[in-house]
Amino acid sequence: MKSYRYLIIFCLFALLSASSAMAQCIISGTVRNRKTGSRISSVNVMLQSSNRRAMYGYVITGDDGSYRLEYKGNADSLAVIVSGFNIREKVRLITAHSQQVDFAVEENELKIREVVVKAPAVVRKNDTLSYTVAKYADVTDHSIGDVLQKMPGMEVLESGEVKYNGKSINKFYIEDLDMLEGRYGLATKNIRARDIARVEVYENHQPIKALRGLSSTDAAALNLRLKDSSKGTWSGTLQLGGGYKPWMWNIEAAAMYFGRKFQMMNTYKTNNTGDDVASELDSFYGATDPMTNLLGIQTPSQPPLNERRYLDNNIHTVALNSIVKLRKELTLTANAHYIHDFRTALGHSTTTYYRPGDPLIIPEQIFARNRSDRTEFSLRLNSNSTSHYLYEKLIFSGAWDADFGRVLNNNDQVDQRFHRPNISLHNLFTDIRHWGRWMLQLNSNTDYATQNSSLRIRPMLYPEIFDTPDGFSDARQGLDARRFHTLNTANASYTTGTLTSGHWTFSLNAGLNLQIERMNSDLAPMNDAGETASTEDKFRNDIRWRKLDLMLGPNIRYAYKEQFSISLNLPLDLINLHTDDDITHQKATTRDLLVQPSLFLEGRIGYNLKYSAHAFYGESIGELYDSYSGCIMTNYRMISSKRGDLSRNRQQNYSASLSYGNALSALFGSLDAMWWQSRRNLMYGTTYEGSLSRIEAIHRPNTTDGYILNATLSKRIDPLATTVNLSGGFSQSWQQVLREDVVLPTSYYVASAGFGFKTHFTKAVRLDYKASYSRSQSRIKGQGSLNAIDCLSQTADLSLIIRKRFICRLGGEHYYNNAIGGADRNMFFLDAALTYKSKRTEYSVEATNLIDTHTFNSSSQSDITHYIHTYTLRPAAVLFKIKFNLK
């Protein structure tokens, strides 16, 4: 693997050399009338490549006829073009250096009968791309998320998450306000496409203005620009739906207001049609660190299908969101939501564990019923100016889970009941202030969480693990956990030079991290009355765990204008860890000094090509749930114990990325590569007693490493009203698996490719097509390879548009898996819909699963384990919906 490191280092030096060769020049001048000599305002002045195929800049002359253009690149020559409504175009070729270029132009008298002004589909201004929504939208689109999928460089996942050039965005704004705080699936799925004028992408976006030019990022942000008619007014939708089979409902209501100083967005949704509207409330900014949950029932593995095909649900969601601008840079945001979700699932699985000797095969018929109630409320105060940044956010969240499962395992019936209430309170605080060249940053992240979970198994299939008295045929696993955590850091930095030229930034970071946890667990036999019998200490845990980190380290960063930056971070972490086990009466204190250096660089070559690279080395020690000694039954056929040993991990990873975005040619692409390695002192081995799996930690140094390559390409062909997307990837990993006390060196690879397009043959015909292929395989050194698994999925949607009011849609899906035998190797689905649109009302009839496919079969691999799953699907159904636009 050393060759990959050398290749990455070579690429970084090549990119650095290329960026250093870039030039910056200022082209300025005036535009005058050749005959009168007077200066002319409102004239278009463009800066392009000498062959006029690439656009580098665009301005309009001021009232005094002057203009100013800035160029950053390595071209030898440039073209300056002057044009206007009644100005004869004039082109001048110049060398690429700062100079004054004046123009004397001639005016044309034009007689115009009709003028049609066509806005470009996408334009670039420095690091901002602006997509004109009208160029991509049509009558079949409902939400802005439907339109985003047609824009080159954009990707919208089923959950509503948005990616630009293969990377998740770091912010989602509506008129430059972040009201939804990461839960922007509400916006992509509910804001009407017809209300949005433009979609803006801010490349290399640093959301904290006080850190711009001082802290680097390679992520992009997205901003929605509303039409003037949609600003400062209430809008909303109401949808009523009903159907059969089974009896179904689908009701949605949304109300929203987007003003200059106030925004609000509220939704209520309920259905039993398989539409998982709770996914709209997922946070894509990175959720708070949840408590570890070890327990749960065995559930059917979800198939690689759209959830509407298999999800048997009864869901209600309420979301309330608002933001108010108290003054220019100060906002107050309130967000609240509640989810009630009830689901049932039925499936069959066959799991094959490869081990020394004969493989272990476990067949299971699984039924699961899950009920979940979740709520969250947050209040945020945010001031974001170039000199001062303040962020204060308080979050309360609660979750109550109650699950029931039934498994048929080799003619044994096992019932599982799981309960878990979880409550947490979380506070986030950041304050950044500038004093001349000095900057001080304070951060605090504090939370308290508690959860008390229990899992009851009836009957216990392995009573021999207990010395069980008569009448105690069940088992109960209880686990009570509490956690307090606070991370507080301070950063002082000093900057030399100016942000418009090369400058250095020197920083010193200090921090204190305190984490206090307590975990009690008890695995015991239980009788029909719910009474438990006493058990040995090896089935109990009572651990108090306290970790104190003192962190200190410098950071050095160099940046040259907006073309290149490199930063080196050298943190040290002094850890004091104390563990008190009241069951074994053992106390342990560990002190260690850990290092976590990292190097990050980014830059650009011209306006369209950007690159970044990252190198990281880190040392860490295990958490509480990596080191408990008593046995815990995590599900009906798995018991784990970590023997109280402390795990240690040393990891390193190196990554490089190229991103290309040409607005003039509407061509976007990305290339990403990463290599990683992890060295651990412990292995988690599995032994099997029938279908019971025992997992224990064993002292044995081991290494895991691998690499990932990914590429994307997206092109908009405007004359054909078509967006084409291509993707490909390859990943491979090597690790050691411990089974039945034997170490098995294994490897696993996945190769993937994707192709798709969205096109309009005519204004009356639209076709969307998407295909993805993957090939995966596991290998055991010295024992050969498992059979490779080839998977292919295809989806196609054809829409016929009649007089912009009637839409007839026909959709089909095809899935292929070579590891499935018989006719189920190829599976097909067929849907149809008919929609009628009036000015404010939409009527639709949707028919799904017209072939009435009852089950879906899939096959997959994970390390050296093979899975075959069969999942029961929703039957053929018809749903009628009426949707009212309230504006």
Side-chain angles (χ1 to χ4, degrees):
M1 299 307 298
K2 292 183 178 179
S3 60
Y4 293 103
R5 281 177 274 181
Y6 295 148
L7 178 60
I8 292 174
I9 293 172
F10 173 79
C11 293
L12 298 183
F13 277 109
L15 291 171
L16 179 58
S17 301
S19 66
S20 63
M22 293 173 62
Q24 179 183 17
C25 56
I26 305 297
I27 312 298
S28 60
T30 59
V31 179
R32 298 175 181 268
N33 186 301
R34 178 182 291 275
K35 293 182 179 180
T36 65
S38 60
R39 299 190 178 194
I40 307 175
S41 63
S42 302
V43 176
N44 303 318
V45 185
M46 293 170 284
L47 185 64
Q48 299 182 358
S49 60
S50 57
N51 59 9
R52 300 190 65 178
R53 293 182 179 177
M55 174 75 75
Y56 296 139
Y58 168 81
V59 294
I60 297 176
T61 57
D63 293 337
D64 59 353
S66 64
Y67 73 90
R68 185 179 186 275
L69 291 163
E70 182 178 342
Y71 172 69
K72 299 175 183 177
N74 51 14
D76 296 327
S77 59
L78 303 168
V80 184
I81 301 96
V82 172
S83 65
F85 177 68
N86 60 341
I87 299 295
R88 182 176 298 173
E89 182 180 273
K90 195 165 187 178
V91 181
R92 186 172 298 176
L93 296 177
I94 63 172
T95 56
H97 63 81
S98 297
Q99 56 187 290
Q100 180 168 330
V101 182
D102 296 326
F103 288 88
V105 299
E106 297 179 1
E107 296 185 0
N108 289 333
E109 292 185 4
L110 302 177
K111 295 182 179 181
I112 301 176
R113 294 181 178 180
E114 182 179 4
V115 177
V116 178
V117 179
K118 294 185 177 181
V122 55
V123 296
R124 173 185 288 279
K125 185 177 181 182
N126 297 325
D127 279 346
T128 299
L129 289 167
S130 182
Y131 295 83
T132 302
V133 171
K135 287 290 185 178
Y136 302 94
D138 59 56
V139 69
T140 65
D141 298 315
H142 293 91
S143 67
I144 187 60
D146 297 330
V147 184
L148 287 174
Q149 298 182 64
K150 304 177 189 177
M151 296 177 176
M154 296 284 197
E155 180 183 3
V156 182
L157 305 183
E158 286 290 338
S159 61
E161 182 181 7
V162 178
K163 291 186 175 183
Y164 171 72
N165 258 357
K167 294 184 179 180
S168 298
I169 61 173
N170 64 358
K171 284 290 181 179
F172 187 100
Y173 301 109
I174 304 172
E175 291 291 333
D176 285 321
L177 292 178
D178 184 13
M179 172 178 60
L180 300 175
E181 275 280 281
R183 292 185 169 87
Y184 58 77
L186 283 167
T188 59
K189 293 188 176 185
N190 292 284
I191 295 180
R192 297 177 302 189
R194 70 184 193 184
D195 291 333
I196 306 300
R198 301 187 311 279
V199 174
E200 296 175 335
V201 175
Y202 304 148
E203 296 179 334
N204 301 98
H205 179 65
Q206 171 53 261
I208 301 176
K209 296 178 182 178
L211 295 180
R212 290 178 182 173
L214 303 175
S215 179
S216 303
T217 175
D218 59 353
L222 188 144
N223 181 47
L224 301 183
R225 292 290 182 190
L226 279 77
K227 295 179 179 178
D228 291 339
S229 59
S230 300
K231 297 178 183 178
T233 181
W234 283 95
S235 64
T237 58
L238 174 64
Q239 175 180 286
L240 303 175
Y244 181 79
K245 168 183 180 181
W247 292 109
M248 300 182 297
W249 72 84
N250 191 308
I251 300 172
E252 298 183 358
M256 54 198 78
Y257 178 91
F258 302 109
R260 187 169 61 89
K261 292 186 177 182
F262 175 73
Q263 293 182 1
M264 176 176 283
M265 186 173 185
N266 303 325
T267 64
Y268 168 73
K269 298 189 176 186
T270 177
N271 73 82
N272 68 341
T273 60
D275 188 2
D276 183 18
V277 292
S279 63
E280 298 179 2
L281 301 174
D282 293 338
S283 176
F284 302 121
Y285 289 175
T288 56
D289 184 22
M291 294 193 70
T292 302
N293 176 41
L294 297 180
L295 313 184
I297 68 171
Q298 195 83 352
T299 61
S301 179
Q302 294 183 350
L305 295 171
N306 187 302
E307 286 185 316
R308 291 181 177 89
R309 298 221 175 271
Y310 64 85
L311 183 59
D312 185 1
N313 69 332
N314 180 339
I315 190 170
H316 299 259
T317 67
V318 179
L320 307 174
N321 306 273
S322 64
I323 185 170
V324 59
K325 215 170 184 180
L326 302 178
R327 55 175 187 261
K328 184 178 180 180
E329 303 289 353
L330 183 65
T331 59
L332 179 65
T333 308
N335 307 94
H337 71 258
Y338 170 75
I339 303 170
H340 169 80
D341 195 3
F342 183 84
R343 317 180 166 199
T344 60
L346 178 64
H348 181 275
S349 69
T350 301
T351 306
T352 303
Y353 297 99
Y354 291 90
R355 56 181 181 172
D358 295 332
L360 173 65
I361 301 175
I362 301 177
E364 295 171 302
Q365 183 80 26
I366 306 171
F367 168 79
R369 185 173 64 227
N370 311 96
R371 172 174 173 164
S372 176
D373 292 274
R374 301 175 185 274
T375 187
E376 182 176 300
F377 173 78
S378 65
L379 194 64
R380 172 179 58 121
L381 183 68
N382 186 208
S383 176
N384 193 4
S385 68
T386 56
S387 60
H388 180 221
Y389 177 81
L390 174 67
Y391 184 96
E392 167 60 35
K393 184 177 182 180
L394 183 65
I395 310 167
F396 168 81
S397 61
W400 296 265
D401 296 325
D403 303 337
F404 170 79
R406 175 166 292 170
V407 178
L408 293 177
N409 182 337
N410 290 325
N411 297 321
D412 292 320
Q413 178 177 299
V414 182
D415 289 347
Q416 313 159 80
R417 295 186 183 275
F418 173 70
H419 296 273
R420 183 186 62 158
N422 183 309
I423 296 176
S424 68
L425 188 64
H426 193 186
N427 187 78
L428 295 166
F429 172 81
T430 298
D431 189 88
I432 303 173
R433 295 179 182 271
H434 277 282
W435 293 279
R437 297 182 180 273
W438 287 93
M439 184 192 74
L440 178 64
Q441 178 175 347
L442 303 176
N443 301 290
S444 178
N445 183 340
T446 303
D447 74 88
Y448 175 78
T450 177
Q451 69 178 12
N452 186 359
S453 54
S454 66
L455 175 65
R456 180 174 179 176
I457 307 298
R458 180 175 189 176
M460 175 66 174
L461 293 185
Y462 321 100
E464 61 273 11
I465 69 171
F466 301 119
D467 185 10
T468 307
D470 293 338
F472 287 77
S473 59
D474 302 350
R476 181 189 182 275
Q477 174 69 68
L479 194 151
D480 183 15
R482 285 157 285 172
R483 181 187 71 183
F484 172 78
H485 172 242
T486 180
L487 172 62
N488 304 277
T489 62
N491 172 285
S493 62
Y494 178 79
T495 302
T496 67
T498 64
L499 300 185
T500 57
S501 62
H503 64 277
W504 290 88
T505 301
F506 302 92
S507 305
L508 183 63
N509 304 293
L512 182 147
N513 179 47
L514 176 63
Q515 188 167 335
I516 301 174
E517 292 193 63
R518 182 158 190 173
M519 187 263 280
N520 292 274
S521 73
D522 182 21
L523 174 59
M526 175 179 282
N527 62 17
D528 293 342
E531 300 169 336
T532 58
S534 60
T535 56
E536 301 175 64
D537 287 346
K538 67 179 181 179
F539 297 111
R540 299 168 56 209
N541 288 285
D542 188 357
I543 302 173
R544 287 172 289 174
W545 193 86
R546 183 179 68 248
K547 186 174 75 167
L548 177 65
D549 299 69
L550 298 176
M551 298 165 287
L552 184 68
N555 179 279
I556 303 172
R557 181 178 185 271
Y558 174 76
Y560 180 73
K561 301 178 182 178
E562 296 181 354
Q563 299 175 12
F564 172 78
S565 69
I566 183 170
S567 59
L568 175 65
N569 193 25
L570 300 169
L572 299 175
D573 187 355
L574 179 61
I575 292 180
N576 185 297
L577 174 62
H578 181 76
T579 304
D580 191 348
D581 192 329
D582 287 345
I583 301 298
T584 62
H585 305 291
Q586 292 182 348
K587 297 183 180 181
T589 300
T590 301
R591 294 182 178 88
D592 214 336
L593 181 64
L594 307 179
V595 295
Q596 295 180 334
S598 63
L599 178 69
F600 178 75
L601 67 86
E602 67 168 355
R604 67 183 187 185
I605 304 173
Y607 281 94
N608 299 323
L609 184 61
K610 296 179 172 62
Y611 62 87
S612 64
H614 184 249
F616 170 80
Y617 172 82
E619 299 175 344
S620 61
I621 63 174
E623 302 293 327
L624 168 61
Y625 293 94
D626 298 319
S627 57
Y628 58 87
S629 58
C631 293
I632 295 179
M633 176 171 283
T634 56
N635 62 48
Y636 88 96
R637 60 178 178 88
M638 184 173 293
I639 294 178
S640 65
S641 170
K642 307 301 175 64
R643 293 187 175 181
D645 297 320
L646 186 65
S647 65
R648 297 178 182 274
N649 184 22
R650 296 182 179 182
Q651 57 185 349
Q652 54 183 318
N653 63 67
Y654 307 90
S655 62
S657 176
L658 287 173
S659 176
Y660 181 81
N662 190 318
L664 195 64
S665 61
L667 180 64
F668 297 81
S670 65
L671 179 63
D672 299 278
M674 183 176 70
W675 176 86
W676 80 90
Q677 184 182 80
S678 177
R679 296 179 178 270
R680 298 181 176 89
N681 66 321
L682 298 180
M683 291 189 72
Y684 297 100
T686 306
T687 58
Y688 301 96
E689 301 172 8
S691 60
L692 175 66
S693 302
R694 287 182 175 269
I695 300 176
E696 293 185 343
I698 306 296
H699 271 282
R700 185 185 181 95
N702 63 98
T703 301
T704 300
D705 55 2
Y707 65 92
I708 300 175
L709 299 171
N710 284 311
T712 65
L713 188 66
S714 182
K715 168 67 177 174
R716 177 70 176 182
I717 307 172
D718 278 328
L720 302 178
T722 300
T723 302
V724 180
N725 298 294
L726 294 170
S727 63
F730 185 86
S731 64
Q732 188 163 14
S733 61
W734 294 264
Q735 65 174 325
Q736 295 170 309
V737 177
L738 182 61
R739 286 187 178 171
E740 305 287 15
D741 299 323
V742 176
V743 176
L744 303 173
T746 69
S747 64
Y748 179 72
Y749 79 85
V750 179
S752 62
F755 168 73
F757 63 83
K758 295 178 179 292
T759 184
H760 265 144
F761 290 118
T762 67
K763 292 183 178 181
V765 181
R766 170 179 166 176
L767 177 63
D768 296 347
Y769 175 81
K770 184 177 181 181
S772 62
Y773 166 81
S774 67
R775 181 182 179 90
S776 60
Q777 188 175 36
S778 294
R779 184 177 184 273
I780 308 174
K781 187 176 181 180
Q783 298 186 29
S785 301
L786 279 64
N787 293 329
I789 296 179
D790 296 303
C791 295
L792 173 68
S793 66
Q794 302 179 84
T795 61
D797 282 285
L798 176 66
S799 297
L800 303 177
I801 305 167
I802 304 171
R803 302 183 66 180
K804 295 185 179 182
R805 290 186 178 273
F806 290 95
I807 303 170
C808 180
R809 186 184 71 84
L810 187 66
E813 298 178 16
H814 166 236
Y815 297 89
Y816 168 83
N817 190 313
N818 73 321
I820 302 297
D824 290 340
R825 176 172 291 185
N826 289 280
M827 305 201 72
F828 299 90
F829 298 92
L830 184 65
D831 307 317
L834 179 63
T835 302
Y836 172 76
K837 288 188 172 185
S838 63
K839 184 176 181 181
R840 290 193 177 183
T841 309
E842 178 179 311
Y843 306 87
S844 64
V845 179
E846 301 174 358
T848 56
N849 195 8
L850 291 175
I851 303 176
D852 201 18
T853 304
H854 296 290
T855 58
F856 184 87
N857 299 314
S858 64
S859 178
S860 61
Q861 295 174 1
S862 173
D863 54 61
I864 52 174
T865 304
H866 183 223
Y867 307 93
I868 297 178
H869 300 290
T870 301
Y871 203 100
T872 301
L873 304 179
R874 297 181 66 93
V878 176
L879 181 67
F880 175 74
K881 294 191 292 188
I882 304 175
K883 190 171 187 177
F884 304 95
N885 290 297
L886 305 182
K887 176 197 169 186

Short mmCIF file of all heavy atoms in Angstrom, two decimals, residues 69 155 194 236-237 262-263 281 300 339 347 358 363 369 375 384 405 503 538 554 595 625 647 662 674 694 708 758 784:
data_model
loop_
_atom_site.label_atom_id
_atom_site.label_comp_id
_atom_site.label_asym_id
_atom_site.label_seq_id
_atom_site.Cartn_x
_atom_site.Cartn_y
_atom_site.Cartn_z
N LEU A 69 -12.23 44.26 -14.06
CA LEU A 69 -12.30 42.81 -14.05
C LEU A 69 -11.05 42.24 -13.40
O LEU A 69 -9.96 42.78 -13.59
CB LEU A 69 -12.43 42.26 -15.48
CG LEU A 69 -13.74 42.53 -16.21
CD1 LEU A 69 -13.57 42.32 -17.71
CD2 LEU A 69 -14.84 41.63 -15.67
N GLU A 155 -27.13 16.22 -6.65
CA GLU A 155 -27.70 14.91 -6.37
C GLU A 155 -28.59 15.04 -5.14
O GLU A 155 -28.19 15.60 -4.13
CB GLU A 155 -26.60 13.88 -6.10
CG GLU A 155 -27.11 12.48 -5.81
CD GLU A 155 -26.01 11.50 -5.48
OE1 GLU A 155 -24.84 11.91 -5.43
OE2 GLU A 155 -26.33 10.30 -5.26
N ARG A 194 -42.26 26.22 -8.14
CA ARG A 194 -42.69 27.44 -8.81
C ARG A 194 -42.43 28.69 -7.98
O ARG A 194 -42.53 29.81 -8.50
CB ARG A 194 -44.17 27.35 -9.16
CG ARG A 194 -45.11 27.41 -7.97
CD ARG A 194 -46.54 27.22 -8.42
NE ARG A 194 -47.50 27.56 -7.38
CZ ARG A 194 -48.81 27.41 -7.51
NH1 ARG A 194 -49.31 26.94 -8.64
NH2 ARG A 194 -49.62 27.73 -6.53
N GLY A 236 -48.99 27.77 1.04
CA GLY A 236 -49.13 26.47 1.66
C GLY A 236 -49.83 25.48 0.76
O GLY A 236 -50.31 25.82 -0.33
N THR A 237 -49.86 24.25 1.23
CA THR A 237 -50.53 23.18 0.49
C THR A 237 -51.31 22.31 1.47
O THR A 237 -50.95 22.19 2.64
CB THR A 237 -49.53 22.29 -0.27
OG1 THR A 237 -48.58 21.74 0.65
CG2 THR A 237 -48.78 23.09 -1.33
N PHE A 262 -38.31 37.66 8.71
CA PHE A 262 -38.98 36.57 9.42
C PHE A 262 -39.32 35.46 8.44
O PHE A 262 -39.79 35.71 7.33
CB PHE A 262 -40.26 37.10 10.09
CG PHE A 262 -41.08 36.03 10.75
CD1 PHE A 262 -40.67 35.45 11.94
CD2 PHE A 262 -42.26 35.58 10.17
CE1 PHE A 262 -41.43 34.45 12.55
CE2 PHE A 262 -43.03 34.59 10.76
CZ PHE A 262 -42.60 34.03 11.96
N GLN A 263 -39.08 34.22 8.89
CA GLN A 263 -39.44 33.05 8.10
C GLN A 263 -40.10 32.02 9.02
O GLN A 263 -39.76 31.91 10.19
CB GLN A 263 -38.21 32.42 7.44
CG GLN A 263 -37.56 33.27 6.37
CD GLN A 263 -36.37 32.57 5.72
OE1 GLN A 263 -36.04 31.44 6.04
NE2 GLN A 263 -35.72 33.27 4.79
N LEU A 281 -37.14 14.87 8.71
CA LEU A 281 -36.69 15.49 9.95
C LEU A 281 -35.31 15.01 10.36
O LEU A 281 -34.84 15.32 11.46
CB LEU A 281 -37.70 15.22 11.06
CG LEU A 281 -39.11 15.75 10.77
CD1 LEU A 281 -40.09 15.30 11.84
CD2 LEU A 281 -39.10 17.26 10.66
N PRO A 300 -36.39 -8.09 10.31
CA PRO A 300 -36.03 -8.43 8.93
C PRO A 300 -35.13 -7.36 8.32
O PRO A 300 -35.32 -6.16 8.57
CB PRO A 300 -37.39 -8.47 8.21
CG PRO A 300 -38.40 -8.66 9.29
CD PRO A 300 -37.84 -7.97 10.49
N ILE A 339 -42.66 12.93 16.31
CA ILE A 339 -42.87 11.80 15.39
C ILE A 339 -43.50 10.65 16.17
O ILE A 339 -42.98 10.26 17.22
CB ILE A 339 -41.54 11.32 14.78
CG1 ILE A 339 -40.82 12.45 14.04
CG2 ILE A 339 -41.78 10.14 13.84
CD1 ILE A 339 -39.41 12.09 13.63
N GLY A 347 -40.40 -11.16 7.27
CA GLY A 347 -39.40 -11.60 6.33
C GLY A 347 -38.74 -12.90 6.75
O GLY A 347 -39.02 -13.45 7.84
N ASP A 358 -16.87 -26.68 8.84
CA ASP A 358 -18.12 -26.45 8.11
C ASP A 358 -18.72 -25.10 8.48
O ASP A 358 -18.66 -24.67 9.65
CB ASP A 358 -19.13 -27.55 8.42
CG ASP A 358 -18.66 -28.91 7.92
OD1 ASP A 358 -17.90 -28.95 6.93
OD2 ASP A 358 -19.03 -29.93 8.56
N PRO A 363 -31.27 -20.34 9.63
CA PRO A 363 -32.48 -19.84 8.97
C PRO A 363 -33.41 -19.23 10.02
O PRO A 363 -33.55 -19.75 11.12
CB PRO A 363 -33.07 -21.10 8.34
CG PRO A 363 -32.65 -22.21 9.28
CD PRO A 363 -31.33 -21.79 9.88
N ARG A 369 -42.61 -5.77 15.13
CA ARG A 369 -43.55 -4.65 15.28
C ARG A 369 -42.83 -3.60 16.11
O ARG A 369 -42.42 -3.85 17.25
CB ARG A 369 -44.82 -5.12 15.98
CG ARG A 369 -45.90 -4.05 16.09
CD ARG A 369 -47.19 -4.63 16.65
NE ARG A 369 -47.01 -5.11 18.02
CZ ARG A 369 -47.43 -6.29 18.45
NH1 ARG A 369 -48.01 -7.14 17.61
NH2 ARG A 369 -47.25 -6.65 19.72
N THR A 375 -39.39 13.25 20.07
CA THR A 375 -39.63 14.68 20.04
C THR A 375 -38.32 15.43 20.26
O THR A 375 -37.38 14.89 20.87
CB THR A 375 -40.66 15.10 21.11
OG1 THR A 375 -40.99 16.48 20.94
CG2 THR A 375 -40.10 14.89 22.51
N ASN A 384 -23.66 36.64 13.42
CA ASN A 384 -22.65 36.22 12.46
C ASN A 384 -22.18 37.41 11.64
O ASN A 384 -22.73 37.74 10.59
CB ASN A 384 -23.24 35.14 11.54
CG ASN A 384 -22.19 34.43 10.72
OD1 ASN A 384 -20.99 34.68 10.86
ND2 ASN A 384 -22.62 33.56 9.84
N GLY A 405 -40.97 -8.67 18.72
CA GLY A 405 -40.53 -9.49 17.61
C GLY A 405 -40.78 -10.97 17.88
O GLY A 405 -40.77 -11.42 19.03
N HIS A 503 -0.71 35.24 3.48
CA HIS A 503 -0.68 35.53 4.90
C HIS A 503 -0.55 34.23 5.70
O HIS A 503 -0.94 33.16 5.25
CB HIS A 503 -1.94 36.28 5.34
CG HIS A 503 -3.21 35.48 5.19
ND1 HIS A 503 -3.89 35.38 4.00
CD2 HIS A 503 -3.92 34.74 6.09
CE1 HIS A 503 -4.96 34.63 4.17
NE2 HIS A 503 -5.01 34.21 5.41
N LYS A 538 -21.03 -12.81 36.72
CA LYS A 538 -20.56 -12.71 35.34
C LYS A 538 -21.65 -12.25 34.39
O LYS A 538 -21.36 -11.92 33.24
CB LYS A 538 -19.99 -14.04 34.87
CG LYS A 538 -21.01 -15.16 34.73
CD LYS A 538 -20.35 -16.43 34.22
CE LYS A 538 -21.36 -17.57 34.03
NZ LYS A 538 -20.70 -18.80 33.52
N PRO A 554 -0.56 23.50 18.72
CA PRO A 554 -0.52 24.63 17.79
C PRO A 554 -1.13 24.27 16.45
O PRO A 554 -1.24 23.11 16.07
CB PRO A 554 0.98 24.91 17.66
CG PRO A 554 1.61 23.55 17.79
CD PRO A 554 0.74 22.79 18.76
N VAL A 595 -1.27 11.66 20.43
CA VAL A 595 -1.02 12.69 19.42
C VAL A 595 -1.97 12.46 18.25
O VAL A 595 -2.31 11.32 17.92
CB VAL A 595 0.44 12.66 18.92
CG1 VAL A 595 1.39 13.02 20.05
CG2 VAL A 595 0.80 11.30 18.34
N TYR A 625 -18.36 1.28 26.54
CA TYR A 625 -19.02 0.11 25.96
C TYR A 625 -18.04 -0.77 25.17
O TYR A 625 -18.45 -1.76 24.57
CB TYR A 625 -20.19 0.54 25.10
CG TYR A 625 -21.29 1.16 25.93
CD1 TYR A 625 -21.35 2.54 26.12
CD2 TYR A 625 -22.23 0.38 26.56
CE1 TYR A 625 -22.34 3.11 26.91
CE2 TYR A 625 -23.23 0.92 27.35
CZ TYR A 625 -23.27 2.30 27.52
OH TYR A 625 -24.24 2.86 28.31
N SER A 647 -9.31 -1.01 25.02
CA SER A 647 -8.85 -1.08 23.63
C SER A 647 -8.06 0.17 23.27
O SER A 647 -8.32 1.26 23.77
CB SER A 647 -10.05 -1.22 22.69
OG SER A 647 -10.87 -0.06 22.74
N ASN A 662 -17.82 23.73 -14.55
CA ASN A 662 -17.78 24.73 -15.61
C ASN A 662 -19.21 25.14 -15.94
O ASN A 662 -19.98 24.38 -16.52
CB ASN A 662 -17.10 24.14 -16.86
CG ASN A 662 -16.81 25.19 -17.91
OD1 ASN A 662 -17.63 26.07 -18.17
ND2 ASN A 662 -15.63 25.12 -18.52
N MET A 674 -9.01 7.77 -1.24
CA MET A 674 -8.66 7.71 0.18
C MET A 674 -8.04 6.36 0.50
O MET A 674 -8.46 5.33 -0.03
CB MET A 674 -9.88 7.94 1.06
CG MET A 674 -9.54 7.97 2.55
SD MET A 674 -10.96 8.35 3.62
CE MET A 674 -11.92 6.87 3.45
N ARG A 694 -21.26 -15.98 20.85
CA ARG A 694 -20.59 -15.35 21.99
C ARG A 694 -19.45 -14.49 21.46
O ARG A 694 -18.59 -14.99 20.73
CB ARG A 694 -20.05 -16.40 22.96
CG ARG A 694 -21.12 -17.12 23.78
CD ARG A 694 -20.44 -18.09 24.75
NE ARG A 694 -21.38 -18.74 25.64
CZ ARG A 694 -21.73 -18.27 26.84
NH1 ARG A 694 -21.21 -17.13 27.26
NH2 ARG A 694 -22.58 -18.92 27.59
N ILE A 708 -10.40 3.62 -1.14
CA ILE A 708 -11.65 3.94 -1.84
C ILE A 708 -11.34 4.88 -2.98
O ILE A 708 -10.59 5.86 -2.82
CB ILE A 708 -12.68 4.60 -0.89
CG1 ILE A 708 -13.03 3.68 0.27
CG2 ILE A 708 -13.94 4.97 -1.65
CD1 ILE A 708 -13.94 4.33 1.30
N LYS A 758 -32.15 12.58 -17.26
CA LYS A 758 -33.49 13.16 -17.20
C LYS A 758 -33.63 14.03 -18.44
O LYS A 758 -32.83 14.93 -18.65
CB LYS A 758 -33.68 13.98 -15.93
CG LYS A 758 -33.62 13.16 -14.65
CD LYS A 758 -33.77 14.03 -13.41
CE LYS A 758 -33.74 13.19 -12.15
NZ LYS A 758 -34.92 12.33 -12.01
N GLY A 784 -9.81 -19.67 -0.23
CA GLY A 784 -10.51 -19.30 -1.44
C GLY A 784 -11.50 -18.17 -1.24
O GLY A 784 -11.58 -17.56 -0.16
#
